[in-house]
Amino acid sequence: MSINRRLLIAATALVVAGAAPGAPAAAQETVKVGLILPLTGPQAASGRQMLAGARLFMAHNGDTVAGKKVELVVRDDTGVADQTRRLAQELIVNDKVAVIGGFGLTPLALAVGPIITQARVPAVIMVAGTGMIVGTSPYFVRVSFTLPQQTIPIAQWASANGMKTAVSLVSDYGPGLDAQNAFKTRFEQLGGRVVEQLRAPLAAPEFAPFLQRAKDLKPDALMLFVPAPQAGQLMRQVLDRGLIQDGVRIIGPGDALDDEALNAMGDGVLGVTTSYAYSAAHDSALNRRFVADFRKANNDLRPNLIGVGGYDGMKAIYMAVEKNKGNTEGPKLIESFKGLSWESPRGPISIDPQTRDIVQNIYIRRVERKDGELYHIEFAVFENQKNPQ
Ligand code: PHB
């Protein structure tokens, strides 16, 4: 047996032992929340957003819930799944966290599934968006989004607005394939045709050859998905290649026009229309407060849906602990997440009691200039969208 395999078995045994009924985690007067975030590496922007969101929630709501003190234990997985897995084990076994959260990419969330199942510790997904993740462990709950949920509305909008042919270009991994499949299915049901489905590698992508291919195909629309931290790089190349000037409509879920990067894209993206659960310009009192305080606390950084995920992830944890009267035993705590509903900076959201996945409004938005900045201005809404099964 290899050393790695032996270590894994030993660690798993520890995890299981630590989760026995009456284990210290449930009795502690502190509720420890382990956040596993990519704080360095190519996904660092997502880690920074989540952490800022989580901290802002605590600044707004205090650091006690159900009479217990809440303590964040923050770890950097650098965006590497082996690190996510190792950190999850450490947080559960050594730090005795009641719940873990974060996960900046789909493979990072998937890596902790077997651990949380065995240890019976809930994990709150604040970014990862591949549809199937939550179904891989009864201890997952998601407050972020799924790609099919966020993509189908733009397929409907594109079809209703006269687009008949499309090319899709996505990152070649779970959420990209989900976006591509969901888009093609709905767009073609409605009479459109996806003429080509292009996939760029997730790591260090070079988009130019794919964009040139899309340009040569002259579709009505180009549907894009990349994880939010790659948005600036992708859109710079889209603008450099002149696709928009050529009359190709850029559409997709909002990740490729991420709010954090939007201003730097410049006026070339004015009018680009996408579907997404959140805009920094979402018109509500809670969101105005959220955006203002987030910017104040983070050197004027604009929050995106990932920052909102950090904020709502903590909200969900507070609500579940409260509902459970401070008892943080995993099997009881995961039950308490089911059916929660609350107002998020994005609008009303809830946790589906059957699937533990998020139910939320998906807005159609167009880039406009407002108060001297570029914003996604919401103008239509698909209400209470589940992850389509
Ligand atoms: C994911 O890896 O699931 C993911 C990451 C960033 C996004 C969307 C999906 O913006």
Side-chain angles (χ1 to χ4, degrees):
M1 187 158 49
S2 75
I3 299 247
N4 273 349
R5 174 113 189 102
R6 246 177 280 155
L7 280 177
L8 182 67
I9 290 172
T12 305
L14 278 173
V15 165
V16 172
Q28 281 170 359
E29 287 314 304
T30 303
V31 179
K32 287 192 185 176
V33 177
L35 292 184
I36 310 179
L37 313 171
L39 290 168
T40 54
Q43 305 301 322
S46 293
R48 184 172 62 223
Q49 283 275 347
M50 270 185 283
L51 185 56
R55 288 199 169 134
L56 182 58
F57 181 82
M58 293 181 73
H60 280 172
N61 296 279
D63 64 355
T64 57
V65 63
K68 294 186 168 186
K69 193 162 170 58
V70 179
E71 186 191 326
L72 288 187
V73 186
V74 180
R75 298 285 184 262
D76 177 13
D77 67 8
T78 72
V80 174
D82 281 344
Q83 297 299 322
T84 321
R85 192 179 295 114
R86 179 180 65 76
L87 291 167
Q89 280 172 345
E90 275 180 22
L91 285 166
I92 292 170
V93 175
N94 300 341
D95 296 285
K96 310 228 171 348
V97 298
V99 49
I100 58 176
F103 318 115
L105 282 178
T106 287
L108 310 180
L110 287 174
V112 306
I115 296 167
I116 60 170
T117 304
Q118 287 201 324
R120 295 183 288 166
V121 170
V124 180
I125 299 170
M126 300 173 179
V127 181
T130 303
M132 47 70 78
I133 300 171
V134 180
T136 64
S137 168
Y139 282 87
F140 272 133
V141 53
R142 174 152 49 194
V143 299
S144 51
F145 50 83
T146 84
L147 267 300
Q149 174 189 60
Q150 299 220 95
T151 305
I152 287 170
I154 199 66
Q156 295 192 193
W157 183 85
S159 178
N161 284 273
M163 287 162 240
K164 295 197 164 36
T165 59
V167 169
S168 56
L169 168 57
V170 302
S171 298
D172 191 5
Y173 76 123
L177 305 191
D178 261 10
Q180 211 161 43
N181 291 337
F183 182 79
K184 181 177 165 73
T185 301
R186 183 60 114 245
F187 193 62
E188 296 197 338
Q189 272 170 359
L190 296 169
R193 196 160 60 85
V194 174
V195 294
E196 195 144 309
Q197 303 192 96
L198 304 168
R199 294 169 190 166
L202 172 63
E206 178 45 74
F207 297 115
F210 299 104
L211 293 173
Q212 188 56 47
R213 175 76 184 141
K215 186 171 161 144
D216 293 344
L217 288 164
K218 298 190 186 345
D220 294 335
L222 174 58
M223 194 286 282
L224 297 174
F225 167 80
V226 288
Q230 291 182 357
Q233 185 198 344
L234 171 63
M235 287 310 297
R236 210 163 28 251
Q237 295 195 28
V238 168
L239 293 167
D240 283 353
R241 299 237 144 217
L243 277 116
I244 297 177
Q245 295 88 318
D246 279 5
V248 178
R249 302 285 299 264
I250 301 299
I251 57 171
D255 310 76
L257 282 108
D258 183 55
D259 246 315
E260 184 182 320
L262 188 64
N263 262 317
M265 293 177 191
D267 285 351
V269 296
L270 279 169
V272 172
T273 302
T274 49
S275 51
Y276 213 45
Y278 176 68
S279 162
H282 180 72
D283 189 16
S284 73
L286 174 60
N287 186 50
R288 278 189 290 277
R289 175 172 181 236
F290 171 77
V291 173
D293 292 349
F294 191 101
R295 293 180 83 142
K296 215 178 297 162
N298 296 282
N299 208 10
D300 210 29
L301 180 70
R302 183 190 286 190
N304 62 16
L305 180 51
I306 295 170
V308 172
Y311 193 85
D312 283 328
M314 292 307 293
K315 170 77 176 177
I317 291 166
Y318 273 49
M319 287 178 86
V321 172
E322 186 78 53
K323 188 165 147 190
N324 218 14
K325 301 191 174 53
N327 183 335
T328 57
E329 278 171 55
K332 295 219 170 67
L333 193 57
I334 191 68
E335 283 305 310
S336 299
F337 282 102
K338 299 177 184 176
L340 290 178
S341 64
W342 68 96
E343 188 194 353
S344 158
R346 67 191 111 166
I349 64 176
S350 64
I351 303 298
D352 185 302
Q354 264 78 50
T355 62
R356 291 163 277 109
D357 220 332
I358 181 143
V359 182
Q360 59 190 337
N361 294 345
I362 303 298
Y363 305 87
I364 309 288
R365 334 80 57 77
R366 137 178 11 93
V367 180
E368 293 177 17
R369 196 164 268 289
K370 185 184 149 218
D371 305 330
E373 294 189 38
L374 295 177
Y375 279 104
H376 293 289
I377 305 298
E378 296 168 345
F379 64 89
V381 57
F382 289 65
E383 286 183 348
N384 290 320
Q385 301 293 298
K386 293 187 177 197
N387 181 48
Q389 297 296 310

